[in-house]
Amino acid sequence: MQPEVYAWEFDIPVARPSLWAFVSDTERLNRLAGVFPVHYQYKPLDSGGSEVVAEARTAGMLLRWVERPCEWVEPEYFRFTRDYSKGPFVRLVSEVRLRDGDRPGTTRLTHTITVTPRHFVGRMLARVAIGVQTKAGFARAYALAPQWAAGQELPAIGSERLPPRGFAARELRRVLVPLAHRLGEPQLAELLTHHLLSKPDSELDSLSPYTLARAWQVERGPLLRLFLHATKAGLFDLQYHLICPSCRRSKANVTSLADLREEGHCPSCNIRFGVDFDRAVEVRFSPRPLGVGEDAAEYCHAGPRNTPHRVAGWNFEPGTSRQVETTLEPGRHQLLSPQAGSVYFEVVDDADAPREAALTLAADGLSGAPERVRAGTVRFAVESRFAALAELMIARAKWADDAVTVAELTAMQEFRELFGSELLAPGAEFSIQNMVFLFTDLVGSTAMYERLGDAAAFDLVRRHFDLLSDIYSQHGGALVKTIGDAIMAVFRRGDDALRAALAMHAKVPALREAEGGAGLALRIGLHRGPCIAMTANERIDYFGTTVNTAARVQGIAGGHEVALSPAMLELPEVRAALAATRLPARTEELKLKGLSGRHAISIVEVPQGE
């Protein structure tokens, strides 16, 4: 039968970039419009990627279709194509296009649905289900855009109606509110309670503290602490989500570090990837112990906001060529094809850089990509040499920073104290691209043991550990282990580690003033770099050249000094923090024991008594 076209236009008082952020979140948009939930399965393709098979029930009918990859260019349009094997339709294409409105700050939105009925009954159903019901549902959803853009809460309409949450409300009052008061963060309990009681289950099945902190405009560290303590109190479950490096979505999660494996698999991208702790594992929190999030459903497989790092995506029929274009901002980007592979390129503000290129998608790779293109509108003439459908996407290389990673979590003292039994599987090794290590040594302790005897001297050493514990905890670090009278601590930020080192030196005078403490001093070394995380001696520990180097850097420092490796001083925030201290420093070219070459070690002198 011939296709039928349903097209609707809306003038929306929201600027196009903001409206794109609203409508391209098709998971939420479909819920607001009252669209039915969908169950997806992924069938790996030999050519690369996966075929997405979807099923849904509506009005007593079973619908089954293949969901073709979404095509989009932000902030201009997106298009979904469904090829049905069961139901009243053969094909459905849904396209949303945005263009600037006639008045500043407005957008003209055109939503077009082209449906090919399977038979006469399908034609009649389309006229009611699409021409009347779908039109009304999306009209209600689009009407909420100004409210959303203004930062106001959206009502629970369409598929978003809330189940009763009396038990959750009682438990939050009984446990979360007193807990937040003890932590000095009562306002966070109010925000979190409101969120859990007012949002639909589909937005609550897994919670990201940093994403919430950004939305609520609050500090993210205290919110993460509240989640950790609330989890220990039984309100949430910890989840470790494996993040695919291609689509950057979670397709699997485990509830224990011991269940993590060194390789992950994304069924939708059909790739395997190494599991590192910087990006590949994200920590989230499930409110299911509260009876919240249990009815979470999926409404859209791959809308543009599901992969917000991707700027655009196109499909190419077998053996076809066409020109595509998009607008790119400066920065590192990636051309990505599940069938032909990927290549990185730079977008630069340089008039001499090209704005056009000819690309070829073939079994032996993606060819023709330039190393640099000029920022602005970029055009690619693309030829596909595949005998099956091929995809091409453009993605920003930079990762978002609103994920709590395992690397960060294991560098938190509170996590180690609250969840000490959370250990990696025996023998499992996970890479971390960057960790900051702080090593200390207590100068004068040998003489102190001879002078005071073992018991009294050890008591002073223990007091020194307590002093340091408060400091690395307050500065966002964590103790890995003690080694005699020394400690090994980890941090995620170099400036936090430097400030902690200086604060440690400032506490030493109190130790020297104790009976028998005369002559004690600290020497501290800081270094950063890649390492391996694994379980050793019933704790999460770190190994590798970076750790060994950090210990050697500490050995260079004298009493009342902090030694910093060149890798530390590469960080702008460390240089700024060091300059703010106005402490005397010197740089020496030194050989580190057991390491080749000479190293430019900067040594900061901390005056006694400071």
Side-chain angles (χ1 to χ4, degrees):
M1 301 189 75
Q2 291 297 312
E4 294 204 343
V5 179
Y6 301 85
W8 316 298
E9 286 196 340
F10 305 88
D11 289 308
I12 302 175
V14 176
R16 186 155 59 110
S18 294
L19 186 61
W20 172 264
F22 178 75
V23 300
S24 64
D25 186 349
T26 51
E27 174 76 18
R28 178 184 58 207
L29 187 70
N30 286 357
R31 294 200 312 266
L32 289 170
V35 175
F36 43 79
V38 181
H39 175 69
Y40 295 99
Q41 291 182 314
Y42 305 99
K43 294 184 176 180
L45 296 173
D46 292 339
S47 58
S50 293
E51 183 178 77
V52 182
V53 180
E55 270 192 7
R57 283 193 175 275
T58 180
M61 290 185 298
L62 174 65
L63 307 179
R64 185 179 296 119
W65 68 91
V66 172
E67 186 94 30
R68 301 303 179 192
C70 178
E71 293 190 284
W72 78 93
V73 174
E74 68 172 29
E76 298 178 13
Y77 72 89
F78 59 86
R79 181 188 306 114
F80 291 97
T81 299
R82 295 176 171 180
D83 290 324
Y84 289 84
S85 60
K86 192 171 185 62
F89 308 138
V90 175
R91 169 172 279 203
L92 183 147
V93 180
S94 179
E95 179 180 277
V96 172
R97 284 190 174 269
L98 306 181
R99 66 178 188 272
D100 294 334
D102 295 333
R103 291 174 290 109
T106 66
T107 304
R108 171 65 62 89
L109 182 151
T110 304
H111 190 161
T112 305
I113 295 181
T114 304
V115 59
T116 303
R118 189 174 300 279
H119 37 56
F120 178 77
V121 174
R123 186 182 299 278
M124 294 300 102
L125 283 172
R127 292 175 179 176
V128 175
I130 298 174
V132 178
Q133 297 172 345
T134 299
K135 176 183 178 181
F138 278 102
R140 288 194 303 269
Y142 295 140
L144 295 173
Q147 187 174 332
W148 175 86
Q152 301 172 14
E153 293 220 1
L154 301 180
I157 66 172
S159 306
E160 295 204 312
R161 290 182 173 82
L162 307 181
R165 290 182 177 158
F167 172 74
R170 291 192 299 273
E171 286 298 285
L172 292 169
R173 285 195 302 269
R174 184 180 70 86
V175 180
L176 183 68
V177 173
L179 176 59
H181 275 80
R182 288 198 300 273
L183 294 174
E185 303 291 347
Q187 77 282 3
L188 294 183
E190 295 177 14
L191 291 167
L192 185 51
T193 296
H194 177 75
H195 187 77
L196 291 168
L197 299 181
S198 65
K199 297 296 181 182
D201 274 12
S202 293
E203 291 187 19
L204 299 174
D205 59 329
S206 63
L207 302 173
S208 169
Y210 288 174
T211 301
L212 293 175
R214 176 164 48 83
W216 299 342
Q217 298 183 329
V218 299
E219 290 186 36
R220 57 193 201 174
L223 185 58
L224 175 56
R225 291 181 63 233
L226 179 59
F227 266 102
L228 289 173
H229 283 271
T231 299
K232 187 67 175 179
L235 298 182
F236 302 104
D237 288 333
L238 264 175
Q239 296 178 331
Y240 302 97
H241 287 254
L242 270 65
I243 306 301
C244 169
S246 178
C247 66
R248 301 186 190 176
R249 298 185 66 193
S250 167
K251 293 298 182 182
N253 69 84
V254 297
T255 57
S256 170
L257 286 177
D259 293 329
L260 287 174
R261 295 298 176 260
E262 296 167 59
E263 187 178 73
H265 174 249
C266 178
S268 57
C269 296
N270 189 21
I271 62 170
R272 293 195 171 276
F273 54 92
V275 175
D276 66 71
F277 277 177
D278 293 274
R279 291 174 176 170
V281 187
E282 181 180 346
V283 182
R284 300 180 192 171
F285 298 82
S286 167
R288 294 202 174 196
L290 292 167
V292 175
E294 295 178 331
D295 296 327
E298 193 170 5
Y299 291 82
C300 187
H301 154 73
R305 293 300 292 179
N306 285 347
T307 54
H309 65 296
R310 291 178 177 169
V311 179
W314 304 275
N315 299 331
F316 298 88
E317 296 297 328
T320 60
S321 300
R322 65 173 167 132
Q323 181 169 285
V324 298
E325 68 176 45
T326 187
T327 301
L328 299 178
E329 297 178 349
R332 189 167 176 78
H333 287 69
Q334 181 185 29
L335 283 163
L336 171 67
S337 169
Q339 295 76 30
S342 66
V343 62
Y344 286 93
F345 65 100
E346 296 288 342
V347 181
V348 296
D349 280 321
D350 185 346
D352 294 331
R355 277 191 167 170
E356 296 183 352
L359 308 178
T360 301
L361 308 180
D364 58 356
L366 193 164
S367 60
E371 294 182 358
R372 301 160 74 246
V373 299
R374 184 179 175 186
T377 301
V378 179
R379 297 178 179 86
F380 294 108
V382 183
E383 177 191 1
S384 173
R385 296 180 180 175
F386 284 97
L389 185 76
E391 301 171 64
L392 177 66
M393 293 163 280
I394 299 179
R396 302 176 186 90
K398 184 178 180 180
W399 285 62
D401 66 350
D402 55 1
V404 181
T405 65
V406 173
E408 181 171 1
L409 198 68
T410 55
M412 286 183 64
Q413 186 63 26
E414 276 179 293
F415 172 76
R416 287 176 174 257
E417 292 175 354
L418 291 170
F419 300 94
S421 61
E422 276 287 271
L423 300 175
L424 305 172
E429 300 179 0
F430 297 91
S431 65
I432 298 176
Q433 293 304 309
N434 185 64
M435 189 69 84
V436 182
F437 293 91
L438 179 151
F439 278 83
T440 72
D441 184 35
L442 190 60
V443 179
S445 61
T446 301
M448 179 184 66
Y449 271 93
E450 292 178 354
R451 185 172 66 252
L452 301 180
D454 289 349
F458 181 71
D459 183 61
L460 269 178
V461 170
R462 187 172 55 193
R463 288 178 59 183
H464 135 267
F465 285 146
D466 291 340
L467 287 175
L468 301 190
S469 173
D470 291 338
I471 294 168
Y472 54 69
S473 297
Q474 292 166 5
H475 287 79
L479 176 71
V480 179
K481 58 189 173 187
T482 60
I483 311 161
D485 54 15
I487 72 164
M488 170 184 169
V490 288
F491 298 79
R492 287 297 284 165
R493 288 184 57 90
D495 52 343
D496 286 341
L498 175 59
R499 293 188 182 100
L502 297 176
M504 289 173 180
H505 277 303
K507 287 289 186 180
V508 171
L511 192 66
R512 288 200 301 266
E513 290 170 5
E515 184 176 352
L520 292 178
L522 278 180
R523 58 181 181 182
I524 303 176
L526 299 175
H527 181 51
R528 71 174 184 94
C531 62
I532 297 296
M534 60 186 298
T535 294
N537 298 319
E538 297 301 311
R539 61 172 171 258
I540 296 175
D541 204 343
Y542 307 92
F543 300 88
T545 301
T546 297
V547 181
N548 297 334
T549 302
R552 300 294 185 266
V553 170
Q554 175 266 313
I556 295 297
H560 314 292
E561 291 182 341
V562 180
L564 296 97
S565 71
M568 290 295 297
L569 291 173
E570 289 174 355
L571 300 175
E573 61 269 26
V574 170
R575 295 197 300 271
L578 186 57
T581 68
R582 298 187 177 181
L583 292 173
R586 67 186 187 275
T587 299
E588 299 182 10
E589 292 283 339
L590 300 169
K591 183 168 178 58
L592 301 180
K593 183 179 179 181
L595 300 173
S596 62
R598 300 183 72 82
H599 304 261
I601 306 299
S602 295
I603 301 173
V604 181
E605 302 173 23
V606 182
Q608 296 187 40
E610 294 195 13

